[in-house]
Amino acid sequence: MGRKHSKHGAYDTPQSDDDAAVEVPLCWLCSRPTGKTIVWHHPIPKSRGGRDVVPMHPICQQTVIANFTNSELERYGIDVESLLANPSVRKFVDWVSKKDPDFTATTTKKQR
């Protein structure tokens, strides 16, 4: 049995200028506005019981994954300041803070 009403609204509904005023979430790691692609990251990995998600840039998520194990992420929890205390992550955030929100680049391999 199908839906009586569309879940997302009608296709022929014109987009209003009010839709452009939607607040853009800030990246959890670098605090820049997110771009077109938002990754919803589990600060505490799902395998370790994490349920909360935070918005991140893909490049920021790759950096977190490359620098920390699941055990470390579980210990740090939602405290982003603990992650920023890592010299590699701090150097990355200082570098990426001057980039466009949609900036992407290859990141280093896991350094564990």
Side-chain angles (χ1 to χ4, degrees):
M1 187 168 180
R3 293 183 185 270
K4 184 174 182 181
H5 300 287
S6 173
K7 184 176 176 183
H8 301 290
Y11 289 111
D12 59 350
T13 304
Q15 296 293 326
S16 66
D17 291 336
D18 295 337
D19 292 341
V22 173
E23 186 176 327
V24 177
L26 298 178
C27 178
W28 179 68
L29 185 66
C30 69
S31 300
R32 295 180 302 139
T34 53
K36 293 177 188 172
T37 306
I38 300 173
V39 175
W40 293 97
H41 175 74
H42 288 83
I44 300 171
K46 285 173 57 176
S47 64
R48 303 293 178 139
R51 296 190 186 267
D52 296 332
V53 291
V54 293
M56 292 181 78
H57 296 103
I59 193 171
C60 293
Q61 184 193 34
Q62 292 167 0
T63 300
V64 168
I65 291 170
N67 286 286
F68 300 101
T69 63
N70 282 351
S71 297
E72 291 171 327
L73 290 173
E74 180 184 20
R75 280 193 302 265
Y76 292 134
I78 198 95
D79 183 23
V80 72
E81 295 303 320
S82 300
L83 300 180
L84 293 173
N86 180 303
S88 298
V89 174
R90 172 50 64 189
K91 183 178 176 182
F92 166 79
V93 169
D94 291 343
W95 172 75
V96 84
S97 66
K98 300 170 186 82
K99 306 291 183 196
D100 183 62
D102 290 317
F103 174 78
T104 186
T106 57
T107 55
T108 59
K109 302 246 183 217
K110 292 187 179 185
Q111 299 173 358
R112 306 184 235 162

